[in-house]
Amino acid sequence: MLRLGRREFDAHEPVIMAIVNRTPDSFYDQGATFRDEPALARVEHAVAEGAAIIDIGGVKAGPGEEVTAEEEARRTVGFVAEVRRRFPDVIISVDTWRHEVGEAVCEAGADLLNDAWGGVDPRLAEVAARYGVGLVCTHAGGAEPRTRPHRVTYDDVMADILRVTLGLAERAVSLGVPRESVLIDPGHDFGKSTRHSLEATRRLGEMVETGWPVLVSLSNKDFVGETLDKPVKERVVGTLATTAVSAWLGAQVYRVHEVAETRQVLDMVASIAGHRPPAVGRRGLA
């Protein structure tokens, strides 16, 4: 059972986390939701299309202009409070590695802290424990926030992913984070080459077998672009193919830009796997 905010999800229930970037320089939408009104419209649209979680980020993952903790909080805290006011039942996640920002967004109503940089600030898990919110434990290969990988090597990339994410998850629980609210994430692209991310996807079942719910953040990432030699705006098909494979292997939460398309893929895979009946059943009955 996965429990986040007011919601509970069974083991075979796929969950969509919609991305809302409060940044002027995000790699995918180039700041389309930096201002409040477009961002709130994005939340409304994503919820209508089937997103259970809204993931709010105030700093883009890649290199760029410095964003202080104060500026990151300015971009996210008030927005979290407004989303909580307008959408009381939605699960609010904040993509941050900083404990100061984590504390502020939890005060404003966040339900989940999405630590994409692998526990680089160990106090973030302490914040999650203190507020009783969820935590995403990600493998980033020891990379510093907002850096790109350079000639990274692993003897066994999945073994390293398991070592790091399980260690972070157990530490979080030992601090007091509810076990049912901890997720693990292989960290596609983070501290990895394209081949590493492909192997992590191929072996995702090894993470699922640990019993921790698995989150994957695949949407339009560089490993998809390099695999197919496609620019950012032409990676949706590759993303959805990777989503289908991840769903078949048992991942539960999907951090995405395209909510409606992802919902169809997840529903189709769930029906093939026998976890969901067809929406209608007319064929062969007339």
Side-chain angles (χ1 to χ4, degrees):
M1 177 70 69
L2 173 64
R3 182 177 292 115
L4 298 171
R6 302 181 182 183
R7 302 282 302 276
E8 293 184 350
F9 303 94
D10 293 332
H12 293 299
E13 186 175 355
V15 183
I16 294 178
M17 170 189 273
I19 300 165
V20 180
N21 290 315
R22 302 309 316 283
T23 59
D25 53 357
S26 52
F27 90 100
Y28 185 67
D29 60 29
Q30 298 299 305
T33 53
F34 185 47
R35 294 186 299 109
D36 286 352
E37 286 312 311
L40 288 166
R42 160 69 175 163
V43 173
E44 183 174 13
H45 189 63
V47 170
E49 289 188 328
I53 307 172
I54 300 298
D55 190 50
I56 299 163
V59 186
K60 79 169 185 175
E65 291 187 12
E66 180 186 2
V67 180
T68 63
E70 292 75 16
E71 174 60 17
E72 183 184 356
R74 188 191 69 79
R75 295 176 179 183
T76 55
V77 175
F79 187 71
V80 167
E82 184 61 16
V83 172
R84 174 56 66 225
R85 186 184 72 80
R86 296 195 189 193
F87 304 91
D89 295 324
V90 77
I91 300 162
I92 299 176
S93 169
V94 176
D95 180 352
T96 186
W97 75 88
R98 292 165 163 151
H99 75 274
E100 307 98 321
V101 176
E103 182 118 28
V105 296
C106 285
E107 285 285 347
D111 304 299
L112 176 65
L113 297 176
N114 181 11
D115 180 9
W117 289 103
V120 68
D121 181 349
R123 295 176 65 184
L124 187 65
E126 298 171 12
V127 171
R130 188 159 60 252
Y131 284 89
V133 303
L135 183 69
V136 180
C137 299
T138 307
H139 179 272
E144 288 295 316
R146 306 193 67 194
T147 61
R148 297 196 189 282
H150 179 68
R151 301 189 183 278
V152 180
T153 61
Y154 299 95
D155 291 333
D156 182 330
V157 68
M158 182 50 73
D160 204 71
I161 289 169
L162 290 171
R163 177 184 64 81
V164 171
T165 58
L166 298 184
L168 291 170
E170 292 293 352
R171 176 179 182 267
V173 172
S174 73
L175 290 170
V177 180
R179 178 173 286 270
E180 63 274 15
S181 302
V182 175
L183 304 99
I184 58 175
D185 177 353
H188 289 81
D189 274 0
F190 282 60
K192 298 173 187 67
S193 69
T194 288
R195 283 185 169 81
H196 292 143
S197 292
L198 291 172
E199 182 173 351
T201 306
R202 186 163 57 248
R203 298 173 61 186
L204 201 64
E206 295 176 42
M207 296 188 74
V208 174
E209 288 170 2
T210 67
W212 296 97
V214 175
L215 180 151
V216 287
S217 182
L218 312 167
S219 196
N220 303 294
K221 281 195 167 179
D222 284 349
F223 83 96
V224 174
E226 287 194 357
T227 299
L228 301 176
D229 194 16
K230 294 293 183 183
V232 170
K233 294 297 184 179
E234 297 178 25
R235 298 176 184 176
V236 175
V237 174
T239 296
L240 295 176
T242 314
T243 298
V245 170
S246 300
W248 186 256
L249 292 174
Q252 185 164 18
V253 181
Y254 300 80
R255 183 178 181 272
V256 305
H257 297 97
E258 287 82 20
V259 175
E261 294 87 341
T262 302
R263 180 81 269 163
Q264 288 188 46
V265 168
L266 296 178
D267 285 350
M268 193 71 200
V269 172
S271 295
I272 294 169
H275 304 313
R276 172 189 178 273
V280 297
R282 295 185 291 267
R283 184 170 176 81
L285 300 178

Short mmCIF file of all heavy atoms in Angstrom, two decimals, residues 53-98:
data_model
loop_
_atom_site.label_atom_id
_atom_site.label_comp_id
_atom_site.label_asym_id
_atom_site.label_seq_id
_atom_site.Cartn_x
_atom_site.Cartn_y
_atom_site.Cartn_z
N ILE A 53 -0.91 13.29 -8.59
CA ILE A 53 0.16 14.06 -7.92
C ILE A 53 0.57 15.21 -8.83
O ILE A 53 0.70 15.04 -10.04
CB ILE A 53 1.39 13.17 -7.65
CG1 ILE A 53 1.02 11.90 -6.90
CG2 ILE A 53 2.46 13.95 -6.88
CD1 ILE A 53 2.16 10.89 -6.79
N ILE A 54 0.77 16.36 -8.24
CA ILE A 54 1.36 17.51 -8.94
C ILE A 54 2.74 17.74 -8.36
O ILE A 54 2.91 17.93 -7.15
CB ILE A 54 0.50 18.78 -8.75
CG1 ILE A 54 -0.92 18.56 -9.29
CG2 ILE A 54 1.17 19.98 -9.42
CD1 ILE A 54 -1.01 18.28 -10.77
N ASP A 55 3.76 17.66 -9.23
CA ASP A 55 5.15 17.82 -8.80
C ASP A 55 5.64 19.21 -9.19
O ASP A 55 5.78 19.52 -10.37
CB ASP A 55 6.03 16.75 -9.43
CG ASP A 55 7.43 16.72 -8.83
OD1 ASP A 55 7.53 16.68 -7.59
OD2 ASP A 55 8.41 16.69 -9.60
N ILE A 56 5.90 20.04 -8.19
CA ILE A 56 6.24 21.45 -8.39
C ILE A 56 7.74 21.62 -8.18
O ILE A 56 8.29 21.23 -7.14
CB ILE A 56 5.45 22.32 -7.39
CG1 ILE A 56 3.95 22.16 -7.63
CG2 ILE A 56 5.87 23.79 -7.50
CD1 ILE A 56 3.09 22.66 -6.48
N GLY A 57 8.40 22.20 -9.18
CA GLY A 57 9.84 22.41 -9.07
C GLY A 57 10.23 23.85 -9.27
O GLY A 57 9.70 24.52 -10.16
N GLY A 58 11.17 24.34 -8.47
CA GLY A 58 11.58 25.73 -8.58
C GLY A 58 12.98 25.93 -9.13
O GLY A 58 13.42 27.07 -9.28
N VAL A 59 13.67 24.82 -9.46
CA VAL A 59 15.01 24.90 -10.04
C VAL A 59 15.11 23.84 -11.12
O VAL A 59 14.80 22.67 -10.87
CB VAL A 59 16.12 24.64 -8.99
CG1 VAL A 59 17.49 24.88 -9.60
CG2 VAL A 59 15.93 25.50 -7.75
N LYS A 60 15.54 24.23 -12.31
CA LYS A 60 15.70 23.20 -13.34
C LYS A 60 16.85 22.28 -12.98
O LYS A 60 17.81 22.66 -12.30
CB LYS A 60 15.90 23.83 -14.71
CG LYS A 60 17.29 24.35 -15.02
CD LYS A 60 17.39 24.69 -16.50
CE LYS A 60 18.81 25.09 -16.89
NZ LYS A 60 18.96 25.31 -18.34
N ALA A 61 16.77 21.03 -13.47
CA ALA A 61 17.77 20.04 -13.08
C ALA A 61 19.14 20.32 -13.67
O ALA A 61 20.15 20.05 -13.03
CB ALA A 61 17.29 18.64 -13.51
N GLY A 62 19.19 20.85 -14.88
CA GLY A 62 20.46 21.05 -15.57
C GLY A 62 21.18 22.30 -15.13
O GLY A 62 20.68 23.12 -14.35
N PRO A 63 22.40 22.49 -15.64
CA PRO A 63 23.17 23.69 -15.32
C PRO A 63 22.45 24.95 -15.79
O PRO A 63 21.64 24.92 -16.72
CB PRO A 63 24.47 23.48 -16.11
CG PRO A 63 24.55 22.01 -16.36
CD PRO A 63 23.14 21.55 -16.50
N GLY A 64 22.77 26.05 -15.15
CA GLY A 64 22.17 27.34 -15.50
C GLY A 64 22.49 28.37 -14.45
O GLY A 64 23.39 28.17 -13.62
N GLU A 65 21.76 29.46 -14.48
CA GLU A 65 21.98 30.51 -13.49
C GLU A 65 21.73 29.98 -12.09
O GLU A 65 20.84 29.15 -11.87
CB GLU A 65 21.06 31.70 -13.78
CG GLU A 65 21.41 32.47 -15.04
CD GLU A 65 20.57 33.73 -15.18
OE1 GLU A 65 19.89 34.10 -14.19
OE2 GLU A 65 20.60 34.33 -16.26
N GLU A 66 22.52 30.47 -11.15
CA GLU A 66 22.34 30.05 -9.76
C GLU A 66 20.95 30.43 -9.25
O GLU A 66 20.45 31.53 -9.51
CB GLU A 66 23.40 30.69 -8.87
CG GLU A 66 23.27 30.27 -7.42
CD GLU A 66 24.23 31.01 -6.50
OE1 GLU A 66 24.97 31.89 -6.99
OE2 GLU A 66 24.21 30.72 -5.29
N VAL A 67 20.34 29.50 -8.54
CA VAL A 67 19.06 29.76 -7.88
C VAL A 67 19.28 29.48 -6.39
O VAL A 67 19.51 28.34 -6.00
CB VAL A 67 17.93 28.87 -8.43
CG1 VAL A 67 16.62 29.17 -7.71
CG2 VAL A 67 17.77 29.07 -9.94
N THR A 68 19.22 30.51 -5.58
CA THR A 68 19.43 30.34 -4.14
C THR A 68 18.23 29.64 -3.51
O THR A 68 17.15 29.53 -4.11
CB THR A 68 19.60 31.70 -3.46
OG1 THR A 68 18.38 32.44 -3.61
CG2 THR A 68 20.76 32.49 -4.07
N ALA A 69 18.41 29.16 -2.30
CA ALA A 69 17.30 28.55 -1.57
C ALA A 69 16.16 29.54 -1.38
O ALA A 69 14.98 29.17 -1.46
CB ALA A 69 17.79 28.02 -0.22
N GLU A 70 16.52 30.79 -1.15
CA GLU A 70 15.49 31.82 -0.96
C GLU A 70 14.67 32.02 -2.23
O GLU A 70 13.44 32.13 -2.18
CB GLU A 70 16.13 33.14 -0.54
CG GLU A 70 16.75 33.14 0.84
CD GLU A 70 18.08 32.41 0.90
OE1 GLU A 70 18.69 32.15 -0.16
OE2 GLU A 70 18.51 32.07 2.02
N GLU A 71 15.35 32.04 -3.38
CA GLU A 71 14.64 32.21 -4.64
C GLU A 71 13.81 30.97 -4.97
O GLU A 71 12.68 31.07 -5.46
CB GLU A 71 15.62 32.50 -5.77
CG GLU A 71 15.02 32.55 -7.16
CD GLU A 71 13.94 33.61 -7.34
OE1 GLU A 71 13.85 34.55 -6.52
OE2 GLU A 71 13.19 33.51 -8.33
N GLU A 72 14.36 29.79 -4.70
CA GLU A 72 13.60 28.57 -4.94
C GLU A 72 12.32 28.56 -4.10
O GLU A 72 11.24 28.20 -4.59
CB GLU A 72 14.46 27.34 -4.60
CG GLU A 72 13.77 26.03 -4.90
CD GLU A 72 14.58 24.81 -4.48
OE1 GLU A 72 15.73 24.98 -4.01
OE2 GLU A 72 14.05 23.69 -4.62
N ALA A 73 12.44 28.97 -2.84
CA ALA A 73 11.26 29.04 -1.97
C ALA A 73 10.26 30.07 -2.48
O ALA A 73 9.04 29.85 -2.45
CB ALA A 73 11.69 29.35 -0.54
N ARG A 74 10.77 31.20 -2.96
CA ARG A 74 9.86 32.23 -3.48
C ARG A 74 9.04 31.71 -4.66
O ARG A 74 7.86 32.03 -4.80
CB ARG A 74 10.67 33.46 -3.91
CG ARG A 74 9.82 34.66 -4.28
CD ARG A 74 10.63 35.75 -4.95
NE ARG A 74 11.08 35.35 -6.28
CZ ARG A 74 10.30 35.36 -7.37
NH1 ARG A 74 9.04 35.72 -7.29
NH2 ARG A 74 10.81 34.99 -8.53
N ARG A 75 9.65 30.86 -5.48
CA ARG A 75 8.97 30.32 -6.65
C ARG A 75 7.95 29.24 -6.31
O ARG A 75 7.05 28.97 -7.11
CB ARG A 75 10.00 29.74 -7.63
CG ARG A 75 10.95 30.75 -8.23
CD ARG A 75 11.99 30.06 -9.10
NE ARG A 75 12.92 31.00 -9.71
CZ ARG A 75 13.89 30.64 -10.56
NH1 ARG A 75 14.05 29.36 -10.89
NH2 ARG A 75 14.69 31.55 -11.08
N THR A 76 8.13 28.58 -5.16
CA THR A 76 7.33 27.39 -4.89
C THR A 76 6.37 27.49 -3.71
O THR A 76 5.26 26.95 -3.78
CB THR A 76 8.26 26.18 -4.64
OG1 THR A 76 9.19 26.49 -3.59
CG2 THR A 76 9.03 25.83 -5.91
N VAL A 77 6.75 28.16 -2.63
CA VAL A 77 5.98 28.08 -1.39
C VAL A 77 4.57 28.65 -1.55
O VAL A 77 3.57 27.99 -1.23
CB VAL A 77 6.72 28.77 -0.24
CG1 VAL A 77 5.85 28.79 1.02
CG2 VAL A 77 8.03 28.06 0.05
N GLY A 78 4.47 29.87 -2.05
CA GLY A 78 3.15 30.47 -2.23
C GLY A 78 2.29 29.68 -3.22
O GLY A 78 1.08 29.55 -3.05
N PHE A 79 2.94 29.13 -4.24
CA PHE A 79 2.21 28.34 -5.23
C PHE A 79 1.68 27.05 -4.61
O PHE A 79 0.54 26.64 -4.87
CB PHE A 79 3.11 28.03 -6.42
CG PHE A 79 2.40 27.37 -7.56
CD1 PHE A 79 1.50 28.08 -8.34
CD2 PHE A 79 2.61 26.03 -7.84
CE1 PHE A 79 0.83 27.47 -9.39
CE2 PHE A 79 1.94 25.41 -8.88
CZ PHE A 79 1.06 26.13 -9.67
N VAL A 80 2.49 26.40 -3.78
CA VAL A 80 2.02 25.21 -3.07
C VAL A 80 0.78 25.55 -2.24
O VAL A 80 -0.23 24.81 -2.26
CB VAL A 80 3.13 24.64 -2.17
CG1 VAL A 80 2.57 23.60 -1.19
CG2 VAL A 80 4.23 24.02 -3.02
N ALA A 81 0.83 26.66 -1.53
CA ALA A 81 -0.31 27.05 -0.70
C ALA A 81 -1.55 27.28 -1.54
O ALA A 81 -2.67 26.90 -1.15
CB ALA A 81 0.04 28.31 0.10
N GLU A 82 -1.41 27.90 -2.71
CA GLU A 82 -2.56 28.17 -3.57
C GLU A 82 -3.11 26.88 -4.19
O GLU A 82 -4.33 26.71 -4.29
CB GLU A 82 -2.17 29.16 -4.66
CG GLU A 82 -3.32 29.60 -5.56
CD GLU A 82 -4.45 30.29 -4.82
OE1 GLU A 82 -4.25 30.73 -3.67
OE2 GLU A 82 -5.54 30.41 -5.41
N VAL A 83 -2.22 25.99 -4.59
CA VAL A 83 -2.69 24.70 -5.11
C VAL A 83 -3.43 23.93 -4.03
O VAL A 83 -4.49 23.33 -4.28
CB VAL A 83 -1.51 23.87 -5.66
CG1 VAL A 83 -1.96 22.45 -6.02
CG2 VAL A 83 -0.90 24.55 -6.89
N ARG A 84 -2.91 23.96 -2.81
CA ARG A 84 -3.60 23.29 -1.71
C ARG A 84 -4.99 23.88 -1.48
O ARG A 84 -5.96 23.17 -1.24
CB ARG A 84 -2.74 23.38 -0.43
CG ARG A 84 -3.37 22.86 0.83
CD ARG A 84 -3.85 21.41 0.71
NE ARG A 84 -2.77 20.50 0.53
CZ ARG A 84 -2.77 19.49 -0.36
NH1 ARG A 84 -3.78 19.33 -1.20
NH2 ARG A 84 -1.76 18.67 -0.46
N ARG A 85 -5.09 25.20 -1.60
CA ARG A 85 -6.39 25.86 -1.39
C ARG A 85 -7.38 25.48 -2.49
O ARG A 85 -8.54 25.18 -2.21
CB ARG A 85 -6.20 27.38 -1.36
CG ARG A 85 -7.46 28.16 -0.99
CD ARG A 85 -7.24 29.65 -1.07
NE ARG A 85 -7.13 30.11 -2.45
CZ ARG A 85 -8.19 30.34 -3.25
NH1 ARG A 85 -9.42 30.13 -2.80
NH2 ARG A 85 -8.01 30.79 -4.48
N ARG A 86 -6.93 25.47 -3.73
CA ARG A 86 -7.83 25.21 -4.85
C ARG A 86 -8.11 23.73 -5.07
O ARG A 86 -9.18 23.37 -5.59
CB ARG A 86 -7.24 25.80 -6.13
CG ARG A 86 -7.12 27.30 -6.14
CD ARG A 86 -6.88 27.81 -7.56
NE ARG A 86 -6.54 29.22 -7.61
CZ ARG A 86 -6.53 29.93 -8.72
NH1 ARG A 86 -6.85 29.37 -9.88
NH2 ARG A 86 -6.19 31.21 -8.69
N PHE A 87 -7.16 22.88 -4.74
CA PHE A 87 -7.28 21.45 -5.01
C PHE A 87 -6.97 20.68 -3.72
O PHE A 87 -5.88 20.10 -3.58
CB PHE A 87 -6.32 21.02 -6.13
CG PHE A 87 -6.49 21.79 -7.40
CD1 PHE A 87 -5.75 22.95 -7.62
CD2 PHE A 87 -7.39 21.38 -8.38
CE1 PHE A 87 -5.89 23.67 -8.80
CE2 PHE A 87 -7.54 22.09 -9.56
CZ PHE A 87 -6.80 23.24 -9.77
N PRO A 88 -7.90 20.68 -2.77
CA PRO A 88 -7.60 20.12 -1.44
C PRO A 88 -7.26 18.63 -1.44
O PRO A 88 -6.58 18.16 -0.53
CB PRO A 88 -8.88 20.39 -0.65
CG PRO A 88 -9.94 20.64 -1.68
CD PRO A 88 -9.26 21.25 -2.84
N ASP A 89 -7.70 17.89 -2.47
CA ASP A 89 -7.48 16.45 -2.47
C ASP A 89 -6.27 16.01 -3.30
O ASP A 89 -5.88 14.85 -3.25
CB ASP A 89 -8.72 15.72 -2.98
CG ASP A 89 -9.90 15.90 -2.04
OD1 ASP A 89 -9.68 15.93 -0.82
OD2 ASP A 89 -11.04 16.03 -2.53
N VAL A 90 -5.69 16.92 -4.07
CA VAL A 90 -4.56 16.52 -4.91
C VAL A 90 -3.33 16.33 -4.03
O VAL A 90 -3.17 16.98 -2.98
CB VAL A 90 -4.29 17.57 -6.01
CG1 VAL A 90 -3.58 18.80 -5.45
CG2 VAL A 90 -3.49 16.97 -7.16
N ILE A 91 -2.47 15.40 -4.43
CA ILE A 91 -1.21 15.19 -3.72
C ILE A 91 -0.20 16.19 -4.26
O ILE A 91 0.06 16.22 -5.47
CB ILE A 91 -0.69 13.75 -3.94
CG1 ILE A 91 -1.71 12.74 -3.41
CG2 ILE A 91 0.66 13.56 -3.25
CD1 ILE A 91 -1.50 11.34 -3.96
N ILE A 92 0.37 16.99 -3.39
CA ILE A 92 1.34 18.00 -3.80
C ILE A 92 2.75 17.51 -3.47
O ILE A 92 3.08 17.23 -2.32
CB ILE A 92 1.08 19.35 -3.11
CG1 ILE A 92 -0.30 19.88 -3.48
CG2 ILE A 92 2.16 20.36 -3.51
CD1 ILE A 92 -0.67 21.17 -2.75
N SER A 93 3.56 17.40 -4.51
CA SER A 93 4.96 17.04 -4.38
C SER A 93 5.81 18.25 -4.74
O SER A 93 5.43 19.05 -5.59
CB SER A 93 5.28 15.87 -5.34
OG SER A 93 6.66 15.65 -5.44
N VAL A 94 6.95 18.38 -4.09
CA VAL A 94 7.89 19.45 -4.44
C VAL A 94 9.24 18.82 -4.74
O VAL A 94 9.78 18.05 -3.95
CB VAL A 94 8.00 20.51 -3.34
CG1 VAL A 94 9.06 21.55 -3.71
CG2 VAL A 94 6.66 21.19 -3.13
N ASP A 95 9.75 19.15 -5.91
CA ASP A 95 11.05 18.65 -6.39
C ASP A 95 12.13 19.57 -5.84
O ASP A 95 12.37 20.66 -6.35
CB ASP A 95 11.02 18.66 -7.91
CG ASP A 95 12.32 18.15 -8.54
OD1 ASP A 95 13.29 17.94 -7.80
OD2 ASP A 95 12.34 17.99 -9.77
N THR A 96 12.78 19.13 -4.76
CA THR A 96 13.84 19.94 -4.15
C THR A 96 14.83 19.03 -3.46
O THR A 96 14.49 17.92 -3.04
CB THR A 96 13.28 20.94 -3.13
OG1 THR A 96 14.34 21.79 -2.67
CG2 THR A 96 12.63 20.25 -1.94
N TRP A 97 16.08 19.48 -3.36
CA TRP A 97 17.08 18.74 -2.59
C TRP A 97 17.45 19.47 -1.31
O TRP A 97 18.22 18.96 -0.51
CB TRP A 97 18.34 18.52 -3.45
CG TRP A 97 19.20 19.74 -3.63
CD1 TRP A 97 20.21 20.17 -2.81
CD2 TRP A 97 19.15 20.70 -4.70
NE1 TRP A 97 20.78 21.32 -3.30
CE2 TRP A 97 20.15 21.66 -4.47
CE3 TRP A 97 18.34 20.82 -5.84
CZ2 TRP A 97 20.35 22.74 -5.32
CZ3 TRP A 97 18.56 21.89 -6.69
CH2 TRP A 97 19.55 22.84 -6.43
N ARG A 98 16.88 20.66 -1.08
CA ARG A 98 17.28 21.51 0.04
C ARG A 98 16.30 21.39 1.21
O ARG A 98 15.09 21.55 1.04
CB ARG A 98 17.32 22.96 -0.41
CG ARG A 98 18.45 23.27 -1.40
CD ARG A 98 18.20 24.60 -2.06
NE ARG A 98 19.40 25.13 -2.71
CZ ARG A 98 19.36 25.92 -3.77
NH1 ARG A 98 18.19 26.29 -4.30
NH2 ARG A 98 20.48 26.37 -4.31
#
